Amino acid sequence: GCMVNGKLYPFGHIERTEDCYRCNCSERGLECCSLFHTPVSYDKKNCKVIFNKNRCDYDVVQKDDPSKECFVYARM
């Protein structure tokens, strides 16, 4: 199997790791890609980024009221 952040996964396709990656585990090693997109263009003065582990994505919310979302212009 393959070790990912201290957790052993069996050989084969890993749909979702605990830290939100999709991986393929083989005798040659481990290949992973993220399930989330990082926000790069938003109002950085009034907003902050919080990682939502349940959805495997980032929430961009207002700094003074985190219950309100901010508009994101671009994600990578």
Side-chain angles (χ1 to χ4, degrees), residues 13-76:
H13 181 70
I14 304 164
E15 188 64 33
R16 177 181 165 176
T17 65
E18 289 179 357
D19 55 349
C20 297
Y21 285 86
R22 179 176 290 137
C23 303
N24 281 311
C25 171
S26 70
E27 291 86 358
R28 294 187 318 256
L30 186 68
E31 295 178 348
C32 298
C33 45
S34 67
L35 294 171
F36 51 88
H37 297 95
T38 305
V40 292
S41 183
Y42 59 93
D43 181 355
K44 292 179 172 75
K45 180 181 174 193
N46 296 308
C47 302
K48 64 181 177 178
V49 175
I50 300 171
F51 190 69
N52 184 325
K53 212 169 188 178
N54 293 330
R55 290 185 331 158
C56 285
D57 207 358
Y58 287 98
D59 294 327
V60 182
V61 297
Q62 292 182 9
K63 287 181 181 177
D64 57 354
D65 186 356
S67 67
K68 294 182 181 173
E69 289 188 35
C70 291
F71 183 76
V72 177
Y73 304 103
R75 294 178 185 263
M76 290 183 80

Side-chain angles (χ1 to χ4, degrees), residues 1-11 14 17 23 25 29-30 32:
C2 298
M3 190 71 74
V4 180
N5 291 334
K7 184 173 180 182
L8 183 64
Y9 290 91
F11 288 125
I14 304 164
T17 65
C23 303
C25 171
L30 186 68
C32 298

